[in-house]
Amino acid sequence: MLIRRERTGDAVTIDAVHRSAFERSPGNPSADPANPSADPVEVGLVHRLRDDGSAWIPTLSLVAEFQDRVVGHVCLTRAGVGPFPVLALGPIGVLAEHQGKGIGSALMHAALGAADALDEPLVGLLGSLEYYPRFGFVPGTRLGIIPDVADWSSHFQVRPLTAYELEIKGEFHYADAFYTL
């Protein structure tokens, strides 16, 4: 497996990754009952993030390739905690038939390593309280960081990186695309 930056021409395969990873089915809580065949929101989110020049960071959109096929994707985009620039992670997805093989973990480690190498202080995300702590994520409230949407508080987590400073506290604000889901 190879982890690399997203290239021009990867968008279609990245869409397929997120379609597979977040397939809408009756058991999926994000499924649209009025249109069960609609794309998962993550597909459109990646497109809106790419179109947002102030949020999109091309060097932090990574894909996992296996046998010359894109099988996973993750992106980190610009976010903020008060006046401090930070990063938001997501979406992250792996083709359904490749899940459970460590590809998501490899993408997480690569994304966090790249962010750290770029002297970013912190990464925030909304996600599983069982999955993300293995990568060093903790509830944002532990560091005095809360999401600016109260309903997100229960699953909001942050990962401080080497450049993190204790004065980074307050409301976490995602790129605008996250608020149109």
Side-chain angles (χ1 to χ4, degrees), residues 4-36:
R4 64 166 174 80
R5 285 176 52 180
E6 174 184 342
R7 293 184 200 138
T8 304
D10 284 337
V12 171
T13 55
I14 288 170
D15 288 353
V17 164
H18 292 300
R19 267 187 208 104
S20 174
F22 299 100
E23 180 181 13
R24 292 181 182 246
S25 61
N28 181 340
S30 68
D32 179 357
N35 189 3

PDB file of all heavy atoms in Angstrom, residues 4-36:
ATOM      1  N   ARG A   4      -0.252   8.639  -0.590  1.00  0.00           N
ATOM      2  CA  ARG A   4       0.277   9.768  -1.360  1.00  0.00           C
ATOM      3  C   ARG A   4      -0.724  10.909  -1.374  1.00  0.00           C
ATOM      4  O   ARG A   4      -1.884  10.733  -1.000  1.00  0.00           O
ATOM      5  CB  ARG A   4       0.619   9.342  -2.780  1.00  0.00           C
ATOM      6  CG  ARG A   4      -0.604   8.903  -3.584  1.00  0.00           C
ATOM      7  CD  ARG A   4      -0.289   8.827  -5.073  1.00  0.00           C
ATOM      8  NE  ARG A   4      -1.393   8.287  -5.840  1.00  0.00           N
ATOM      9  CZ  ARG A   4      -2.474   8.968  -6.232  1.00  0.00           C
ATOM     10  NH1 ARG A   4      -2.623  10.234  -5.902  1.00  0.00           N
ATOM     11  NH2 ARG A   4      -3.430   8.382  -6.942  1.00  0.00           N
ATOM     12  N   ARG A   5      -0.256  12.064  -1.827  1.00  0.00           N
ATOM     13  CA  ARG A   5      -1.150  13.209  -1.982  1.00  0.00           C
ATOM     14  C   ARG A   5      -2.162  12.938  -3.094  1.00  0.00           C
ATOM     15  O   ARG A   5      -1.865  12.238  -4.067  1.00  0.00           O
ATOM     16  CB  ARG A   5      -0.351  14.457  -2.354  1.00  0.00           C
ATOM     17  CG  ARG A   5       0.402  15.048  -1.199  1.00  0.00           C
ATOM     18  CD  ARG A   5       1.252  16.217  -1.591  1.00  0.00           C
ATOM     19  NE  ARG A   5       0.517  17.233  -2.325  1.00  0.00           N
ATOM     20  CZ  ARG A   5       1.066  18.345  -2.763  1.00  0.00           C
ATOM     21  NH1 ARG A   5       2.338  18.602  -2.544  1.00  0.00           N
ATOM     22  NH2 ARG A   5       0.346  19.228  -3.425  1.00  0.00           N
ATOM     23  N   GLU A   6      -3.328  13.520  -2.931  1.00  0.00           N
ATOM     24  CA  GLU A   6      -4.328  13.472  -4.003  1.00  0.00           C
ATOM     25  C   GLU A   6      -3.748  14.170  -5.229  1.00  0.00           C
ATOM     26  O   GLU A   6      -3.090  15.199  -5.113  1.00  0.00           O
ATOM     27  CB  GLU A   6      -5.599  14.195  -3.540  1.00  0.00           C
ATOM     28  CG  GLU A   6      -6.645  14.328  -4.617  1.00  0.00           C
ATOM     29  CD  GLU A   6      -7.859  15.127  -4.170  1.00  0.00           C
ATOM     30  OE1 GLU A   6      -8.078  15.293  -2.958  1.00  0.00           O
ATOM     31  OE2 GLU A   6      -8.591  15.590  -5.052  1.00  0.00           O
ATOM     32  N   ARG A   7      -4.019  13.599  -6.398  1.00  0.00           N
ATOM     33  CA  ARG A   7      -3.580  14.182  -7.667  1.00  0.00           C
ATOM     34  C   ARG A   7      -4.796  14.635  -8.469  1.00  0.00           C
ATOM     35  O   ARG A   7      -5.905  14.126  -8.279  1.00  0.00           O
ATOM     36  CB  ARG A   7      -2.843  13.154  -8.515  1.00  0.00           C
ATOM     37  CG  ARG A   7      -1.554  12.691  -7.983  1.00  0.00           C
ATOM     38  CD  ARG A   7      -0.908  11.743  -9.013  1.00  0.00           C
ATOM     39  NE  ARG A   7       0.084  10.937  -8.339  1.00  0.00           N
ATOM     40  CZ  ARG A   7       0.271   9.651  -8.527  1.00  0.00           C
ATOM     41  NH1 ARG A   7      -0.462   8.978  -9.371  1.00  0.00           N
ATOM     42  NH2 ARG A   7       1.210   9.011  -7.862  1.00  0.00           N
ATOM     43  N   THR A   8      -4.539  15.518  -9.416  1.00  0.00           N
ATOM     44  CA  THR A   8      -5.567  15.864 -10.387  1.00  0.00           C
ATOM     45  C   THR A   8      -5.999  14.561 -11.056  1.00  0.00           C
ATOM     46  O   THR A   8      -5.170  13.742 -11.413  1.00  0.00           O
ATOM     47  CB  THR A   8      -4.993  16.837 -11.447  1.00  0.00           C
ATOM     48  OG1 THR A   8      -4.472  17.976 -10.775  1.00  0.00           O
ATOM     49  CG2 THR A   8      -6.062  17.258 -12.441  1.00  0.00           C
ATOM     50  N   GLY A   9      -7.267  14.363 -11.177  1.00  0.00           N
ATOM     51  CA  GLY A   9      -7.773  13.134 -11.776  1.00  0.00           C
ATOM     52  C   GLY A   9      -8.212  12.089 -10.762  1.00  0.00           C
ATOM     53  O   GLY A   9      -8.823  11.092 -11.135  1.00  0.00           O
ATOM     54  N   ASP A  10      -7.918  12.306  -9.472  1.00  0.00           N
ATOM     55  CA  ASP A  10      -8.323  11.351  -8.432  1.00  0.00           C
ATOM     56  C   ASP A  10      -9.755  11.562  -7.950  1.00  0.00           C
ATOM     57  O   ASP A  10     -10.294  10.725  -7.232  1.00  0.00           O
ATOM     58  CB  ASP A  10      -7.400  11.444  -7.206  1.00  0.00           C
ATOM     59  CG  ASP A  10      -6.050  10.787  -7.410  1.00  0.00           C
ATOM     60  OD1 ASP A  10      -5.938   9.899  -8.281  1.00  0.00           O
ATOM     61  OD2 ASP A  10      -5.109  11.168  -6.684  1.00  0.00           O
ATOM     62  N   ALA A  11     -10.379  12.681  -8.305  1.00  0.00           N
ATOM     63  CA  ALA A  11     -11.682  13.033  -7.725  1.00  0.00           C
ATOM     64  C   ALA A  11     -12.734  11.940  -7.928  1.00  0.00           C
ATOM     65  O   ALA A  11     -13.487  11.626  -6.999  1.00  0.00           O
ATOM     66  CB  ALA A  11     -12.177  14.363  -8.288  1.00  0.00           C
ATOM     67  N   VAL A  12     -12.801  11.357  -9.102  1.00  0.00           N
ATOM     68  CA  VAL A  12     -13.815  10.335  -9.382  1.00  0.00           C
ATOM     69  C   VAL A  12     -13.595   9.107  -8.501  1.00  0.00           C
ATOM     70  O   VAL A  12     -14.553   8.550  -7.945  1.00  0.00           O
ATOM     71  CB  VAL A  12     -13.817   9.958 -10.885  1.00  0.00           C
ATOM     72  CG1 VAL A  12     -14.706   8.757 -11.157  1.00  0.00           C
ATOM     73  CG2 VAL A  12     -14.269  11.146 -11.723  1.00  0.00           C
ATOM     74  N   THR A  13     -12.342   8.687  -8.340  1.00  0.00           N
ATOM     75  CA  THR A  13     -12.089   7.509  -7.509  1.00  0.00           C
ATOM     76  C   THR A  13     -12.278   7.833  -6.024  1.00  0.00           C
ATOM     77  O   THR A  13     -12.701   6.961  -5.264  1.00  0.00           O
ATOM     78  CB  THR A  13     -10.682   6.923  -7.765  1.00  0.00           C
ATOM     79  OG1 THR A  13      -9.704   7.944  -7.579  1.00  0.00           O
ATOM     80  CG2 THR A  13     -10.568   6.375  -9.170  1.00  0.00           C
ATOM     81  N   ILE A  14     -11.999   9.074  -5.630  1.00  0.00           N
ATOM     82  CA  ILE A  14     -12.242   9.474  -4.242  1.00  0.00           C
ATOM     83  C   ILE A  14     -13.750   9.469  -3.969  1.00  0.00           C
ATOM     84  O   ILE A  14     -14.191   9.017  -2.911  1.00  0.00           O
ATOM     85  CB  ILE A  14     -11.597  10.842  -3.945  1.00  0.00           C
ATOM     86  CG1 ILE A  14     -10.069  10.680  -3.895  1.00  0.00           C
ATOM     87  CG2 ILE A  14     -12.132  11.437  -2.648  1.00  0.00           C
ATOM     88  CD1 ILE A  14      -9.296  11.981  -3.858  1.00  0.00           C
ATOM     89  N   ASP A  15     -14.544   9.938  -4.938  1.00  0.00           N
ATOM     90  CA  ASP A  15     -16.004   9.856  -4.799  1.00  0.00           C
ATOM     91  C   ASP A  15     -16.434   8.405  -4.580  1.00  0.00           C
ATOM     92  O   ASP A  15     -17.267   8.116  -3.720  1.00  0.00           O
ATOM     93  CB  ASP A  15     -16.710  10.395  -6.046  1.00  0.00           C
ATOM     94  CG  ASP A  15     -16.628  11.901  -6.190  1.00  0.00           C
ATOM     95  OD1 ASP A  15     -16.144  12.587  -5.261  1.00  0.00           O
ATOM     96  OD2 ASP A  15     -17.057  12.398  -7.255  1.00  0.00           O
ATOM     97  N   ALA A  16     -15.861   7.496  -5.366  1.00  0.00           N
ATOM     98  CA  ALA A  16     -16.224   6.072  -5.249  1.00  0.00           C
ATOM     99  C   ALA A  16     -15.843   5.525  -3.876  1.00  0.00           C
ATOM    100  O   ALA A  16     -16.590   4.720  -3.299  1.00  0.00           O
ATOM    101  CB  ALA A  16     -15.547   5.268  -6.358  1.00  0.00           C
ATOM    102  N   VAL A  17     -14.717   5.961  -3.337  1.00  0.00           N
ATOM    103  CA  VAL A  17     -14.302   5.527  -2.002  1.00  0.00           C
ATOM    104  C   VAL A  17     -15.359   5.945  -0.983  1.00  0.00           C
ATOM    105  O   VAL A  17     -15.823   5.124  -0.176  1.00  0.00           O
ATOM    106  CB  VAL A  17     -12.920   6.110  -1.626  1.00  0.00           C
ATOM    107  CG1 VAL A  17     -12.663   5.996  -0.125  1.00  0.00           C
ATOM    108  CG2 VAL A  17     -11.817   5.424  -2.417  1.00  0.00           C
ATOM    109  N   HIS A  18     -15.752   7.208  -1.000  1.00  0.00           N
ATOM    110  CA  HIS A  18     -16.713   7.686   0.001  1.00  0.00           C
ATOM    111  C   HIS A  18     -18.114   7.120  -0.223  1.00  0.00           C
ATOM    112  O   HIS A  18     -18.840   6.884   0.733  1.00  0.00           O
ATOM    113  CB  HIS A  18     -16.704   9.214   0.065  1.00  0.00           C
ATOM    114  CG  HIS A  18     -15.417   9.745   0.632  1.00  0.00           C
ATOM    115  ND1 HIS A  18     -14.976   9.424   1.901  1.00  0.00           N
ATOM    116  CD2 HIS A  18     -14.457  10.524   0.085  1.00  0.00           C
ATOM    117  CE1 HIS A  18     -13.810  10.007   2.118  1.00  0.00           C
ATOM    118  NE2 HIS A  18     -13.468  10.675   1.026  1.00  0.00           N
ATOM    119  N   ARG A  19     -18.476   6.859  -1.488  1.00  0.00           N
ATOM    120  CA  ARG A  19     -19.769   6.189  -1.747  1.00  0.00           C
ATOM    121  C   ARG A  19     -19.777   4.806  -1.097  1.00  0.00           C
ATOM    122  O   ARG A  19     -20.747   4.406  -0.472  1.00  0.00           O
ATOM    123  CB  ARG A  19     -19.996   6.038  -3.248  1.00  0.00           C
ATOM    124  CG  ARG A  19     -20.750   7.145  -3.844  1.00  0.00           C
ATOM    125  CD  ARG A  19     -21.121   6.891  -5.312  1.00  0.00           C
ATOM    126  NE  ARG A  19     -21.224   8.195  -5.907  1.00  0.00           N
ATOM    127  CZ  ARG A  19     -20.314   8.738  -6.706  1.00  0.00           C
ATOM    128  NH1 ARG A  19     -19.249   8.055  -7.072  1.00  0.00           N
ATOM    129  NH2 ARG A  19     -20.472   9.948  -7.152  1.00  0.00           N
ATOM    130  N   SER A  20     -18.697   4.086  -1.281  1.00  0.00           N
ATOM    131  CA  SER A  20     -18.604   2.736  -0.733  1.00  0.00           C
ATOM    132  C   SER A  20     -18.520   2.768   0.792  1.00  0.00           C
ATOM    133  O   SER A  20     -19.208   1.995   1.475  1.00  0.00           O
ATOM    134  CB  SER A  20     -17.371   2.035  -1.320  1.00  0.00           C
ATOM    135  OG  SER A  20     -17.169   0.787  -0.728  1.00  0.00           O
ATOM    136  N   ALA A  21     -17.694   3.643   1.320  1.00  0.00           N
ATOM    137  CA  ALA A  21     -17.476   3.700   2.772  1.00  0.00           C
ATOM    138  C   ALA A  21     -18.723   4.143   3.524  1.00  0.00           C
ATOM    139  O   ALA A  21     -18.971   3.684   4.638  1.00  0.00           O
ATOM    140  CB  ALA A  21     -16.322   4.644   3.091  1.00  0.00           C
ATOM    141  N   PHE A  22     -19.489   5.037   2.924  1.00  0.00           N
ATOM    142  CA  PHE A  22     -20.655   5.613   3.611  1.00  0.00           C
ATOM    143  C   PHE A  22     -21.951   5.273   2.894  1.00  0.00           C
ATOM    144  O   PHE A  22     -22.902   6.047   2.919  1.00  0.00           O
ATOM    145  CB  PHE A  22     -20.493   7.141   3.721  1.00  0.00           C
ATOM    146  CG  PHE A  22     -19.287   7.542   4.499  1.00  0.00           C
ATOM    147  CD1 PHE A  22     -18.125   7.944   3.851  1.00  0.00           C
ATOM    148  CD2 PHE A  22     -19.294   7.503   5.884  1.00  0.00           C
ATOM    149  CE1 PHE A  22     -16.995   8.311   4.568  1.00  0.00           C
ATOM    150  CE2 PHE A  22     -18.169   7.869   6.612  1.00  0.00           C
ATOM    151  CZ  PHE A  22     -17.022   8.274   5.953  1.00  0.00           C
ATOM    152  N   GLU A  23     -21.987   4.110   2.281  1.00  0.00           N
ATOM    153  CA  GLU A  23     -23.163   3.684   1.518  1.00  0.00           C
ATOM    154  C   GLU A  23     -24.442   3.885   2.318  1.00  0.00           C
ATOM    155  O   GLU A  23     -24.520   3.542   3.495  1.00  0.00           O
ATOM    156  CB  GLU A  23     -23.039   2.211   1.138  1.00  0.00           C
ATOM    157  CG  GLU A  23     -24.223   1.702   0.353  1.00  0.00           C
ATOM    158  CD  GLU A  23     -24.093   0.230   0.005  1.00  0.00           C
ATOM    159  OE1 GLU A  23     -23.229  -0.449   0.564  1.00  0.00           O
ATOM    160  OE2 GLU A  23     -24.881  -0.217  -0.830  1.00  0.00           O
ATOM    161  N   ARG A  24     -25.400   4.445   1.647  1.00  0.00           N
ATOM    162  CA  ARG A  24     -26.695   4.679   2.297  1.00  0.00           C
ATOM    163  C   ARG A  24     -27.522   3.417   2.211  1.00  0.00           C
ATOM    164  O   ARG A  24     -27.752   2.877   1.152  1.00  0.00           O
ATOM    165  CB  ARG A  24     -27.415   5.835   1.619  1.00  0.00           C
ATOM    166  CG  ARG A  24     -26.699   7.123   1.867  1.00  0.00           C
ATOM    167  CD  ARG A  24     -27.436   8.261   1.221  1.00  0.00           C
ATOM    168  NE  ARG A  24     -26.680   9.465   1.440  1.00  0.00           N
ATOM    169  CZ  ARG A  24     -27.103  10.470   2.181  1.00  0.00           C
ATOM    170  NH1 ARG A  24     -28.268  10.434   2.750  1.00  0.00           N
ATOM    171  NH2 ARG A  24     -26.360  11.528   2.340  1.00  0.00           N
ATOM    172  N   SER A  25     -27.914   2.975   3.369  1.00  0.00           N
ATOM    173  CA  SER A  25     -28.763   1.794   3.458  1.00  0.00           C
ATOM    174  C   SER A  25     -29.764   2.051   4.566  1.00  0.00           C
ATOM    175  O   SER A  25     -29.593   2.967   5.363  1.00  0.00           O
ATOM    176  CB  SER A  25     -27.910   0.559   3.765  1.00  0.00           C
ATOM    177  OG  SER A  25     -27.248   0.726   4.997  1.00  0.00           O
ATOM    178  N   PRO A  26     -30.820   1.249   4.641  1.00  0.00           N
ATOM    179  CA  PRO A  26     -31.827   1.495   5.675  1.00  0.00           C
ATOM    180  C   PRO A  26     -31.248   1.554   7.082  1.00  0.00           C
ATOM    181  O   PRO A  26     -31.742   2.284   7.921  1.00  0.00           O
ATOM    182  CB  PRO A  26     -32.798   0.326   5.513  1.00  0.00           C
ATOM    183  CG  PRO A  26     -32.640  -0.099   4.089  1.00  0.00           C
ATOM    184  CD  PRO A  26     -31.193   0.160   3.746  1.00  0.00           C
ATOM    185  N   GLY A  27     -30.168   0.828   7.365  1.00  0.00           N
ATOM    186  CA  GLY A  27     -29.576   0.840   8.695  1.00  0.00           C
ATOM    187  C   GLY A  27     -28.626   2.002   8.941  1.00  0.00           C
ATOM    188  O   GLY A  27     -28.184   2.240  10.051  1.00  0.00           O
ATOM    189  N   ASN A  28     -28.290   2.744   7.876  1.00  0.00           N
ATOM    190  CA  ASN A  28     -27.353   3.851   7.997  1.00  0.00           C
ATOM    191  C   ASN A  28     -28.112   5.079   8.493  1.00  0.00           C
ATOM    192  O   ASN A  28     -29.041   5.541   7.840  1.00  0.00           O
ATOM    193  CB  ASN A  28     -26.714   4.125   6.630  1.00  0.00           C
ATOM    194  CG  ASN A  28     -25.702   5.248   6.669  1.00  0.00           C
ATOM    195  OD1 ASN A  28     -25.703   6.085   7.571  1.00  0.00           O
ATOM    196  ND2 ASN A  28     -24.845   5.272   5.674  1.00  0.00           N
ATOM    197  N   PRO A  29     -27.732   5.644   9.639  1.00  0.00           N
ATOM    198  CA  PRO A  29     -28.470   6.777  10.187  1.00  0.00           C
ATOM    199  C   PRO A  29     -28.425   8.021   9.322  1.00  0.00           C
ATOM    200  O   PRO A  29     -29.277   8.888   9.453  1.00  0.00           O
ATOM    201  CB  PRO A  29     -27.802   7.037  11.542  1.00  0.00           C
ATOM    202  CG  PRO A  29     -26.479   6.374  11.462  1.00  0.00           C
ATOM    203  CD  PRO A  29     -26.616   5.248  10.475  1.00  0.00           C
ATOM    204  N   SER A  30     -27.465   8.123   8.398  1.00  0.00           N
ATOM    205  CA  SER A  30     -27.425   9.314   7.550  1.00  0.00           C
ATOM    206  C   SER A  30     -28.167   9.109   6.231  1.00  0.00           C
ATOM    207  O   SER A  30     -28.141   9.967   5.367  1.00  0.00           O
ATOM    208  CB  SER A  30     -25.974   9.735   7.284  1.00  0.00           C
ATOM    209  OG  SER A  30     -25.327   8.786   6.470  1.00  0.00           O
ATOM    210  N   ALA A  31     -28.818   7.952   6.069  1.00  0.00           N
ATOM    211  CA  ALA A  31     -29.561   7.696   4.842  1.00  0.00           C
ATOM    212  C   ALA A  31     -30.745   8.647   4.725  1.00  0.00           C
ATOM    213  O   ALA A  31     -31.383   8.985   5.707  1.00  0.00           O
ATOM    214  CB  ALA A  31     -30.048   6.252   4.808  1.00  0.00           C
ATOM    215  N   ASP A  32     -31.007   9.073   3.504  1.00  0.00           N
ATOM    216  CA  ASP A  32     -32.138   9.959   3.231  1.00  0.00           C
ATOM    217  C   ASP A  32     -33.325   9.079   2.839  1.00  0.00           C
ATOM    218  O   ASP A  32     -33.340   8.518   1.753  1.00  0.00           O
ATOM    219  CB  ASP A  32     -31.772  10.914   2.092  1.00  0.00           C
ATOM    220  CG  ASP A  32     -32.895  11.861   1.712  1.00  0.00           C
ATOM    221  OD1 ASP A  32     -33.998  11.746   2.285  1.00  0.00           O
ATOM    222  OD2 ASP A  32     -32.657  12.711   0.849  1.00  0.00           O
ATOM    223  N   PRO A  33     -34.321   8.937   3.719  1.00  0.00           N
ATOM    224  CA  PRO A  33     -35.437   8.047   3.408  1.00  0.00           C
ATOM    225  C   PRO A  33     -36.193   8.459   2.152  1.00  0.00           C
ATOM    226  O   PRO A  33     -36.764   7.632   1.465  1.00  0.00           O
ATOM    227  CB  PRO A  33     -36.334   8.122   4.648  1.00  0.00           C
ATOM    228  CG  PRO A  33     -35.788   9.199   5.506  1.00  0.00           C
ATOM    229  CD  PRO A  33     -34.454   9.599   4.998  1.00  0.00           C
ATOM    230  N   ALA A  34     -36.161   9.746   1.821  1.00  0.00           N
ATOM    231  CA  ALA A  34     -36.855  10.229   0.629  1.00  0.00           C
ATOM    232  C   ALA A  34     -36.089   9.886  -0.643  1.00  0.00           C
ATOM    233  O   ALA A  34     -36.663   9.839  -1.717  1.00  0.00           O
ATOM    234  CB  ALA A  34     -37.068  11.733   0.721  1.00  0.00           C
ATOM    235  N   ASN A  35     -34.789   9.652  -0.527  1.00  0.00           N
ATOM    236  CA  ASN A  35     -33.968   9.361  -1.704  1.00  0.00           C
ATOM    237  C   ASN A  35     -32.832   8.421  -1.306  1.00  0.00           C
ATOM    238  O   ASN A  35     -31.679   8.844  -1.193  1.00  0.00           O
ATOM    239  CB  ASN A  35     -33.424  10.673  -2.296  1.00  0.00           C
ATOM    240  CG  ASN A  35     -32.762  10.447  -3.637  1.00  0.00           C
ATOM    241  OD1 ASN A  35     -32.743   9.336  -4.164  1.00  0.00           O
ATOM    242  ND2 ASN A  35     -32.194  11.505  -4.189  1.00  0.00           N
ATOM    243  N   PRO A  36     -33.125   7.143  -1.097  1.00  0.00           N
ATOM    244  CA  PRO A  36     -32.101   6.209  -0.607  1.00  0.00           C
ATOM    245  C   PRO A  36     -30.938   6.002  -1.561  1.00  0.00           C
ATOM    246  O   PRO A  36     -29.884   5.529  -1.160  1.00  0.00           O
ATOM    247  CB  PRO A  36     -32.876   4.910  -0.377  1.00  0.00           C
ATOM    248  CG  PRO A  36     -34.142   5.054  -1.124  1.00  0.00           C
ATOM    249  CD  PRO A  36     -34.418   6.527  -1.267  1.00  0.00           C
TER     250      PRO A  36
END
